[in-house]
Amino acid sequence: MNAIRSAVFPALLMTWLAAQAGVPAPACKGTIYLTFDTGSQSQAELIAATLKRHQVKATFFMANEKTTRGDHSLDPSWAPYWKARVAEGHAFGSHTFDHVYLQGDAGATGDAILVKPQFGLDAGKKLRWSAAQYCEELKRVDRRFQQLTGERLDPIWRAPGGRVSQRTLAAGEACGYHHVGWAKAGFSGDELASEAVSNPVLLARSLANLKDGDIFVAHMGIWSRKDPWAPANLEPLIVGLQQQGFCFATLRAHPDYSSSKRP
């Protein structure tokens, strides 16, 4: 890791200085797909401002999560924020309304799924859902997003924690939502303890390992990480990748999802 840091950080400093001086980035040699899952929302404004400043389009996966403002991320109080992101041309997917964690498929046959919502009336309870109930959970986000912005979600979803099973994937597909994970190199590491993995180390890994077509995931705020990822890493990551010749796009341009139609 020391070798990676030694190689990456001088180059990053030079690319940052070049960007500030107005030196044009190299021609696009590949595409990175930045995606953000809702969280504490403590970094929501910073993320939006950074993306806008660098004219980068991203994809947001939304659940109705408790925020540092004391509300929830899909409450009416967040309508102006999401409307602004729609106007900027970002893409949007479901992250399950109550941030529902998969516990596993129930039984060898049938469509029963064991789940545990993190928020909502059933927060913390272990529930047994049918495929139709799981589909309804994905659609709840779509309906709320329409109420807040007047727009529909894109036909994509991401499971909390990335935890999926054959039955949840099938349930999503049956009601028109295609699951989106992330590349191994696209794990930002913002859920890890900052005492164990520092922001400079996470940035170095991303700059050294991301490649054309990779989907990158970060959160709009993590309650547990003491040294938040986005303030330290998002802008250097964007600038560093641009100076390596990468462009950015929403998942609407991704070959696996570009032909998908809204449910």
PDB file of all heavy atoms in Angstrom, residues 136-165:
ATOM      1  N   GLU A 136     -43.387  -4.302  -3.906  1.00  0.00           N
ATOM      2  CA  GLU A 136     -44.086  -3.126  -3.394  1.00  0.00           C
ATOM      3  C   GLU A 136     -43.132  -2.202  -2.646  1.00  0.00           C
ATOM      4  O   GLU A 136     -43.253  -0.973  -2.727  1.00  0.00           O
ATOM      5  CB  GLU A 136     -45.229  -3.568  -2.474  1.00  0.00           C
ATOM      6  CG  GLU A 136     -45.941  -2.445  -1.733  1.00  0.00           C
ATOM      7  CD  GLU A 136     -46.621  -1.447  -2.648  1.00  0.00           C
ATOM      8  OE1 GLU A 136     -46.863  -1.763  -3.828  1.00  0.00           O
ATOM      9  OE2 GLU A 136     -46.914  -0.322  -2.187  1.00  0.00           O
ATOM     10  N   GLU A 137     -42.169  -2.774  -1.943  1.00  0.00           N
ATOM     11  CA  GLU A 137     -41.185  -1.963  -1.221  1.00  0.00           C
ATOM     12  C   GLU A 137     -40.331  -1.139  -2.175  1.00  0.00           C
ATOM     13  O   GLU A 137     -39.986   0.014  -1.883  1.00  0.00           O
ATOM     14  CB  GLU A 137     -40.301  -2.872  -0.357  1.00  0.00           C
ATOM     15  CG  GLU A 137     -39.277  -2.152   0.481  1.00  0.00           C
ATOM     16  CD  GLU A 137     -39.886  -1.333   1.608  1.00  0.00           C
ATOM     17  OE1 GLU A 137     -41.096  -1.477   1.890  1.00  0.00           O
ATOM     18  OE2 GLU A 137     -39.144  -0.536   2.221  1.00  0.00           O
ATOM     19  N   LEU A 138     -39.997  -1.715  -3.328  1.00  0.00           N
ATOM     20  CA  LEU A 138     -39.243  -0.966  -4.335  1.00  0.00           C
ATOM     21  C   LEU A 138     -40.106   0.149  -4.924  1.00  0.00           C
ATOM     22  O   LEU A 138     -39.632   1.276  -5.131  1.00  0.00           O
ATOM     23  CB  LEU A 138     -38.782  -1.904  -5.451  1.00  0.00           C
ATOM     24  CG  LEU A 138     -37.855  -3.056  -5.047  1.00  0.00           C
ATOM     25  CD1 LEU A 138     -37.508  -3.901  -6.276  1.00  0.00           C
ATOM     26  CD2 LEU A 138     -36.589  -2.552  -4.381  1.00  0.00           C
ATOM     27  N   LYS A 139     -41.362  -0.147  -5.158  1.00  0.00           N
ATOM     28  CA  LYS A 139     -42.260   0.826  -5.781  1.00  0.00           C
ATOM     29  C   LYS A 139     -42.600   1.981  -4.843  1.00  0.00           C
ATOM     30  O   LYS A 139     -42.925   3.082  -5.304  1.00  0.00           O
ATOM     31  CB  LYS A 139     -43.552   0.136  -6.230  1.00  0.00           C
ATOM     32  CG  LYS A 139     -43.377  -0.762  -7.448  1.00  0.00           C
ATOM     33  CD  LYS A 139     -44.708  -1.345  -7.875  1.00  0.00           C
ATOM     34  CE  LYS A 139     -44.576  -2.147  -9.170  1.00  0.00           C
ATOM     35  NZ  LYS A 139     -45.883  -2.691  -9.601  1.00  0.00           N
ATOM     36  N   ARG A 140     -42.548   1.763  -3.552  1.00  0.00           N
ATOM     37  CA  ARG A 140     -42.829   2.843  -2.605  1.00  0.00           C
ATOM     38  C   ARG A 140     -41.890   4.021  -2.829  1.00  0.00           C
ATOM     39  O   ARG A 140     -42.295   5.174  -2.712  1.00  0.00           O
ATOM     40  CB  ARG A 140     -42.690   2.339  -1.165  1.00  0.00           C
ATOM     41  CG  ARG A 140     -43.772   1.399  -0.695  1.00  0.00           C
ATOM     42  CD  ARG A 140     -43.493   0.944   0.731  1.00  0.00           C
ATOM     43  NE  ARG A 140     -43.648   2.040   1.698  1.00  0.00           N
ATOM     44  CZ  ARG A 140     -43.184   1.998   2.941  1.00  0.00           C
ATOM     45  NH1 ARG A 140     -42.510   0.927   3.368  1.00  0.00           N
ATOM     46  NH2 ARG A 140     -43.375   3.026   3.763  1.00  0.00           N
ATOM     47  N   VAL A 141     -40.634   3.739  -3.121  1.00  0.00           N
ATOM     48  CA  VAL A 141     -39.671   4.813  -3.388  1.00  0.00           C
ATOM     49  C   VAL A 141     -40.076   5.564  -4.642  1.00  0.00           C
ATOM     50  O   VAL A 141     -40.028   6.803  -4.693  1.00  0.00           O
ATOM     51  CB  VAL A 141     -38.247   4.251  -3.521  1.00  0.00           C
ATOM     52  CG1 VAL A 141     -37.257   5.378  -3.780  1.00  0.00           C
ATOM     53  CG2 VAL A 141     -37.844   3.459  -2.293  1.00  0.00           C
ATOM     54  N   ASP A 142     -40.483   4.825  -5.673  1.00  0.00           N
ATOM     55  CA  ASP A 142     -40.885   5.444  -6.939  1.00  0.00           C
ATOM     56  C   ASP A 142     -42.065   6.382  -6.727  1.00  0.00           C
ATOM     57  O   ASP A 142     -42.077   7.515  -7.231  1.00  0.00           O
ATOM     58  CB  ASP A 142     -41.239   4.347  -7.948  1.00  0.00           C
ATOM     59  CG  ASP A 142     -41.094   4.817  -9.391  1.00  0.00           C
ATOM     60  OD1 ASP A 142     -40.989   6.027  -9.619  1.00  0.00           O
ATOM     61  OD2 ASP A 142     -41.066   3.959 -10.284  1.00  0.00           O
ATOM     62  N   ARG A 143     -43.061   5.937  -5.967  1.00  0.00           N
ATOM     63  CA  ARG A 143     -44.236   6.779  -5.727  1.00  0.00           C
ATOM     64  C   ARG A 143     -43.867   8.036  -4.944  1.00  0.00           C
ATOM     65  O   ARG A 143     -44.334   9.140  -5.255  1.00  0.00           O
ATOM     66  CB  ARG A 143     -45.311   5.981  -4.987  1.00  0.00           C
ATOM     67  CG  ARG A 143     -45.989   4.918  -5.843  1.00  0.00           C
ATOM     68  CD  ARG A 143     -47.290   4.459  -5.215  1.00  0.00           C
ATOM     69  NE  ARG A 143     -47.062   3.804  -3.929  1.00  0.00           N
ATOM     70  CZ  ARG A 143     -46.849   2.502  -3.781  1.00  0.00           C
ATOM     71  NH1 ARG A 143     -46.819   1.708  -4.853  1.00  0.00           N
ATOM     72  NH2 ARG A 143     -46.676   1.985  -2.590  1.00  0.00           N
ATOM     73  N   ARG A 144     -43.034   7.890  -3.918  1.00  0.00           N
ATOM     74  CA  ARG A 144     -42.640   9.059  -3.139  1.00  0.00           C
ATOM     75  C   ARG A 144     -41.805  10.025  -3.975  1.00  0.00           C
ATOM     76  O   ARG A 144     -41.967  11.247  -3.882  1.00  0.00           O
ATOM     77  CB  ARG A 144     -41.859   8.620  -1.895  1.00  0.00           C
ATOM     78  CG  ARG A 144     -41.363   9.785  -1.020  1.00  0.00           C
ATOM     79  CD  ARG A 144     -42.497  10.612  -0.435  1.00  0.00           C
ATOM     80  NE  ARG A 144     -43.336   9.842   0.458  1.00  0.00           N
ATOM     81  CZ  ARG A 144     -43.057   9.625   1.748  1.00  0.00           C
ATOM     82  NH1 ARG A 144     -41.963  10.126   2.290  1.00  0.00           N
ATOM     83  NH2 ARG A 144     -43.885   8.914   2.485  1.00  0.00           N
ATOM     84  N   PHE A 145     -40.930   9.479  -4.819  1.00  0.00           N
ATOM     85  CA  PHE A 145     -40.097  10.326  -5.675  1.00  0.00           C
ATOM     86  C   PHE A 145     -40.972  11.143  -6.623  1.00  0.00           C
ATOM     87  O   PHE A 145     -40.701  12.323  -6.869  1.00  0.00           O
ATOM     88  CB  PHE A 145     -39.115   9.460  -6.467  1.00  0.00           C
ATOM     89  CG  PHE A 145     -38.035  10.252  -7.160  1.00  0.00           C
ATOM     90  CD1 PHE A 145     -37.118  10.996  -6.450  1.00  0.00           C
ATOM     91  CD2 PHE A 145     -37.927  10.228  -8.544  1.00  0.00           C
ATOM     92  CE1 PHE A 145     -36.113  11.710  -7.093  1.00  0.00           C
ATOM     93  CE2 PHE A 145     -36.929  10.942  -9.199  1.00  0.00           C
ATOM     94  CZ  PHE A 145     -36.027  11.683  -8.469  1.00  0.00           C
ATOM     95  N   GLN A 146     -42.020  10.523  -7.144  1.00  0.00           N
ATOM     96  CA  GLN A 146     -42.952  11.259  -8.007  1.00  0.00           C
ATOM     97  C   GLN A 146     -43.651  12.368  -7.239  1.00  0.00           C
ATOM     98  O   GLN A 146     -43.850  13.479  -7.763  1.00  0.00           O
ATOM     99  CB  GLN A 146     -43.993  10.300  -8.583  1.00  0.00           C
ATOM    100  CG  GLN A 146     -43.447   9.349  -9.637  1.00  0.00           C
ATOM    101  CD  GLN A 146     -44.542   8.447 -10.185  1.00  0.00           C
ATOM    102  OE1 GLN A 146     -45.413   8.887 -10.927  1.00  0.00           O
ATOM    103  NE2 GLN A 146     -44.510   7.185  -9.816  1.00  0.00           N
ATOM    104  N   GLN A 147     -44.028  12.098  -5.992  1.00  0.00           N
ATOM    105  CA  GLN A 147     -44.676  13.118  -5.171  1.00  0.00           C
ATOM    106  C   GLN A 147     -43.734  14.294  -4.915  1.00  0.00           C
ATOM    107  O   GLN A 147     -44.164  15.451  -4.889  1.00  0.00           O
ATOM    108  CB  GLN A 147     -45.120  12.512  -3.837  1.00  0.00           C
ATOM    109  CG  GLN A 147     -46.245  11.497  -3.959  1.00  0.00           C
ATOM    110  CD  GLN A 147     -46.494  10.746  -2.666  1.00  0.00           C
ATOM    111  OE1 GLN A 147     -45.804  10.956  -1.660  1.00  0.00           O
ATOM    112  NE2 GLN A 147     -47.465   9.852  -2.673  1.00  0.00           N
ATOM    113  N   LEU A 148     -42.458  14.008  -4.715  1.00  0.00           N
ATOM    114  CA  LEU A 148     -41.492  15.047  -4.384  1.00  0.00           C
ATOM    115  C   LEU A 148     -41.034  15.837  -5.599  1.00  0.00           C
ATOM    116  O   LEU A 148     -40.773  17.048  -5.499  1.00  0.00           O
ATOM    117  CB  LEU A 148     -40.263  14.432  -3.704  1.00  0.00           C
ATOM    118  CG  LEU A 148     -40.487  13.743  -2.355  1.00  0.00           C
ATOM    119  CD1 LEU A 148     -39.173  13.181  -1.839  1.00  0.00           C
ATOM    120  CD2 LEU A 148     -41.095  14.694  -1.349  1.00  0.00           C
ATOM    121  N   THR A 149     -40.901  15.161  -6.755  1.00  0.00           N
ATOM    122  CA  THR A 149     -40.255  15.792  -7.914  1.00  0.00           C
ATOM    123  C   THR A 149     -41.116  15.845  -9.165  1.00  0.00           C
ATOM    124  O   THR A 149     -40.785  16.566 -10.110  1.00  0.00           O
ATOM    125  CB  THR A 149     -38.960  15.051  -8.272  1.00  0.00           C
ATOM    126  OG1 THR A 149     -39.282  13.754  -8.815  1.00  0.00           O
ATOM    127  CG2 THR A 149     -38.050  14.892  -7.062  1.00  0.00           C
ATOM    128  N   GLY A 150     -42.166  15.038  -9.225  1.00  0.00           N
ATOM    129  CA  GLY A 150     -42.959  14.940 -10.445  1.00  0.00           C
ATOM    130  C   GLY A 150     -42.361  14.005 -11.468  1.00  0.00           C
ATOM    131  O   GLY A 150     -42.899  13.859 -12.577  1.00  0.00           O
ATOM    132  N   GLU A 151     -41.263  13.334 -11.133  1.00  0.00           N
ATOM    133  CA  GLU A 151     -40.575  12.435 -12.058  1.00  0.00           C
ATOM    134  C   GLU A 151     -40.580  11.008 -11.530  1.00  0.00           C
ATOM    135  O   GLU A 151     -40.712  10.768 -10.330  1.00  0.00           O
ATOM    136  CB  GLU A 151     -39.123  12.888 -12.266  1.00  0.00           C
ATOM    137  CG  GLU A 151     -38.980  14.269 -12.883  1.00  0.00           C
ATOM    138  CD  GLU A 151     -39.456  14.324 -14.324  1.00  0.00           C
ATOM    139  OE1 GLU A 151     -39.384  13.284 -15.007  1.00  0.00           O
ATOM    140  OE2 GLU A 151     -39.893  15.409 -14.759  1.00  0.00           O
ATOM    141  N   ARG A 152     -40.408  10.049 -12.450  1.00  0.00           N
ATOM    142  CA  ARG A 152     -40.296   8.644 -12.090  1.00  0.00           C
ATOM    143  C   ARG A 152     -38.844   8.278 -11.843  1.00  0.00           C
ATOM    144  O   ARG A 152     -37.919   8.918 -12.336  1.00  0.00           O
ATOM    145  CB  ARG A 152     -40.818   7.764 -13.237  1.00  0.00           C
ATOM    146  CG  ARG A 152     -42.289   7.905 -13.549  1.00  0.00           C
ATOM    147  CD  ARG A 152     -43.152   7.229 -12.494  1.00  0.00           C
ATOM    148  NE  ARG A 152     -42.803   5.835 -12.275  1.00  0.00           N
ATOM    149  CZ  ARG A 152     -43.243   4.813 -13.027  1.00  0.00           C
ATOM    150  NH1 ARG A 152     -44.037   5.047 -14.062  1.00  0.00           N
ATOM    151  NH2 ARG A 152     -42.903   3.570 -12.745  1.00  0.00           N
ATOM    152  N   LEU A 153     -38.656   7.200 -11.085  1.00  0.00           N
ATOM    153  CA  LEU A 153     -37.322   6.626 -10.952  1.00  0.00           C
ATOM    154  C   LEU A 153     -36.885   5.984 -12.261  1.00  0.00           C
ATOM    155  O   LEU A 153     -37.720   5.623 -13.102  1.00  0.00           O
ATOM    156  CB  LEU A 153     -37.310   5.536  -9.879  1.00  0.00           C
ATOM    157  CG  LEU A 153     -37.510   5.912  -8.411  1.00  0.00           C
ATOM    158  CD1 LEU A 153     -37.428   4.654  -7.559  1.00  0.00           C
ATOM    159  CD2 LEU A 153     -36.514   6.947  -7.953  1.00  0.00           C
ATOM    160  N   ASP A 154     -35.596   5.809 -12.418  1.00  0.00           N
ATOM    161  CA  ASP A 154     -35.101   4.933 -13.470  1.00  0.00           C
ATOM    162  C   ASP A 154     -35.389   3.495 -13.039  1.00  0.00           C
ATOM    163  O   ASP A 154     -35.555   3.216 -11.848  1.00  0.00           O
ATOM    164  CB  ASP A 154     -33.598   5.163 -13.658  1.00  0.00           C
ATOM    165  CG  ASP A 154     -33.317   6.555 -14.214  1.00  0.00           C
ATOM    166  OD1 ASP A 154     -33.305   6.693 -15.444  1.00  0.00           O
ATOM    167  OD2 ASP A 154     -33.135   7.498 -13.414  1.00  0.00           O
ATOM    168  N   PRO A 155     -35.457   2.539 -13.965  1.00  0.00           N
ATOM    169  CA  PRO A 155     -35.870   1.169 -13.628  1.00  0.00           C
ATOM    170  C   PRO A 155     -34.738   0.345 -13.015  1.00  0.00           C
ATOM    171  O   PRO A 155     -34.394  -0.741 -13.489  1.00  0.00           O
ATOM    172  CB  PRO A 155     -36.306   0.609 -14.983  1.00  0.00           C
ATOM    173  CG  PRO A 155     -35.436   1.317 -15.961  1.00  0.00           C
ATOM    174  CD  PRO A 155     -35.275   2.714 -15.418  1.00  0.00           C
ATOM    175  N   ILE A 156     -34.150   0.863 -11.941  1.00  0.00           N
ATOM    176  CA  ILE A 156     -33.008   0.211 -11.296  1.00  0.00           C
ATOM    177  C   ILE A 156     -33.190   0.256  -9.784  1.00  0.00           C
ATOM    178  O   ILE A 156     -33.890   1.108  -9.248  1.00  0.00           O
ATOM    179  CB  ILE A 156     -31.675   0.888 -11.677  1.00  0.00           C
ATOM    180  CG1 ILE A 156     -31.744   2.401 -11.455  1.00  0.00           C
ATOM    181  CG2 ILE A 156     -31.311   0.579 -13.126  1.00  0.00           C
ATOM    182  CD1 ILE A 156     -30.456   3.145 -11.755  1.00  0.00           C
ATOM    183  N   TRP A 157     -32.545  -0.677  -9.099  1.00  0.00           N
ATOM    184  CA  TRP A 157     -32.572  -0.678  -7.642  1.00  0.00           C
ATOM    185  C   TRP A 157     -31.266  -1.234  -7.112  1.00  0.00           C
ATOM    186  O   TRP A 157     -30.513  -1.885  -7.831  1.00  0.00           O
ATOM    187  CB  TRP A 157     -33.761  -1.469  -7.098  1.00  0.00           C
ATOM    188  CG  TRP A 157     -33.674  -2.973  -7.220  1.00  0.00           C
ATOM    189  CD1 TRP A 157     -33.827  -3.710  -8.357  1.00  0.00           C
ATOM    190  CD2 TRP A 157     -33.433  -3.917  -6.164  1.00  0.00           C
ATOM    191  NE1 TRP A 157     -33.702  -5.057  -8.083  1.00  0.00           N
ATOM    192  CE2 TRP A 157     -33.455  -5.209  -6.740  1.00  0.00           C
ATOM    193  CE3 TRP A 157     -33.202  -3.803  -4.795  1.00  0.00           C
ATOM    194  CZ2 TRP A 157     -33.268  -6.374  -5.992  1.00  0.00           C
ATOM    195  CZ3 TRP A 157     -33.009  -4.965  -4.038  1.00  0.00           C
ATOM    196  CH2 TRP A 157     -33.058  -6.226  -4.646  1.00  0.00           C
ATOM    197  N   ARG A 158     -30.993  -0.937  -5.860  1.00  0.00           N
ATOM    198  CA  ARG A 158     -29.818  -1.485  -5.187  1.00  0.00           C
ATOM    199  C   ARG A 158     -30.233  -1.927  -3.792  1.00  0.00           C
ATOM    200  O   ARG A 158     -30.858  -1.162  -3.046  1.00  0.00           O
ATOM    201  CB  ARG A 158     -28.694  -0.458  -5.099  1.00  0.00           C
ATOM    202  CG  ARG A 158     -27.506  -0.925  -4.244  1.00  0.00           C
ATOM    203  CD  ARG A 158     -26.368   0.076  -4.259  1.00  0.00           C
ATOM    204  NE  ARG A 158     -25.673   0.032  -5.541  1.00  0.00           N
ATOM    205  CZ  ARG A 158     -24.976   1.046  -6.032  1.00  0.00           C
ATOM    206  NH1 ARG A 158     -24.904   2.191  -5.373  1.00  0.00           N
ATOM    207  NH2 ARG A 158     -24.355   0.935  -7.192  1.00  0.00           N
ATOM    208  N   ALA A 159     -29.894  -3.135  -3.443  1.00  0.00           N
ATOM    209  CA  ALA A 159     -30.222  -3.657  -2.122  1.00  0.00           C
ATOM    210  C   ALA A 159     -29.316  -3.045  -1.061  1.00  0.00           C
ATOM    211  O   ALA A 159     -28.111  -2.881  -1.287  1.00  0.00           O
ATOM    212  CB  ALA A 159     -30.065  -5.176  -2.117  1.00  0.00           C
ATOM    213  N   PRO A 160     -29.849  -2.685   0.094  1.00  0.00           N
ATOM    214  CA  PRO A 160     -29.002  -2.225   1.192  1.00  0.00           C
ATOM    215  C   PRO A 160     -27.909  -3.243   1.505  1.00  0.00           C
ATOM    216  O   PRO A 160     -28.165  -4.454   1.615  1.00  0.00           O
ATOM    217  CB  PRO A 160     -29.990  -2.098   2.354  1.00  0.00           C
ATOM    218  CG  PRO A 160     -31.273  -1.722   1.680  1.00  0.00           C
ATOM    219  CD  PRO A 160     -31.284  -2.544   0.419  1.00  0.00           C
ATOM    220  N   GLY A 161     -26.690  -2.733   1.609  1.00  0.00           N
ATOM    221  CA  GLY A 161     -25.553  -3.609   1.847  1.00  0.00           C
ATOM    222  C   GLY A 161     -25.172  -4.457   0.659  1.00  0.00           C
ATOM    223  O   GLY A 161     -24.256  -5.270   0.744  1.00  0.00           O
ATOM    224  N   GLY A 162     -25.896  -4.292  -0.460  1.00  0.00           N
ATOM    225  CA  GLY A 162     -25.640  -5.119  -1.627  1.00  0.00           C
ATOM    226  C   GLY A 162     -26.087  -6.563  -1.448  1.00  0.00           C
ATOM    227  O   GLY A 162     -25.749  -7.429  -2.259  1.00  0.00           O
ATOM    228  N   ARG A 163     -26.881  -6.830  -0.420  1.00  0.00           N
ATOM    229  CA  ARG A 163     -27.301  -8.201  -0.118  1.00  0.00           C
ATOM    230  C   ARG A 163     -28.497  -8.587  -0.990  1.00  0.00           C
ATOM    231  O   ARG A 163     -29.581  -8.010  -0.851  1.00  0.00           O
ATOM    232  CB  ARG A 163     -27.690  -8.336   1.353  1.00  0.00           C
ATOM    233  CG  ARG A 163     -26.583  -7.979   2.330  1.00  0.00           C
ATOM    234  CD  ARG A 163     -27.110  -8.086   3.758  1.00  0.00           C
ATOM    235  NE  ARG A 163     -26.183  -7.523   4.720  1.00  0.00           N
ATOM    236  CZ  ARG A 163     -26.443  -7.373   6.016  1.00  0.00           C
ATOM    237  NH1 ARG A 163     -27.634  -7.749   6.496  1.00  0.00           N
ATOM    238  NH2 ARG A 163     -25.557  -6.839   6.821  1.00  0.00           N
ATOM    239  N   VAL A 164     -28.299  -9.563  -1.847  1.00  0.00           N
ATOM    240  CA  VAL A 164     -29.365 -10.031  -2.731  1.00  0.00           C
ATOM    241  C   VAL A 164     -29.440 -11.547  -2.688  1.00  0.00           C
ATOM    242  O   VAL A 164     -28.524 -12.226  -2.213  1.00  0.00           O
ATOM    243  CB  VAL A 164     -29.154  -9.563  -4.187  1.00  0.00           C
ATOM    244  CG1 VAL A 164     -29.255  -8.054  -4.293  1.00  0.00           C
ATOM    245  CG2 VAL A 164     -27.812 -10.046  -4.730  1.00  0.00           C
ATOM    246  N   SER A 165     -30.524 -12.079  -3.201  1.00  0.00           N
ATOM    247  CA  SER A 165     -30.705 -13.522  -3.356  1.00  0.00           C
ATOM    248  C   SER A 165     -31.400 -13.759  -4.689  1.00  0.00           C
ATOM    249  O   SER A 165     -31.843 -12.818  -5.357  1.00  0.00           O
ATOM    250  CB  SER A 165     -31.559 -14.081  -2.221  1.00  0.00           C
ATOM    251  OG  SER A 165     -32.901 -13.621  -2.334  1.00  0.00           O
TER     252      SER A 165
END
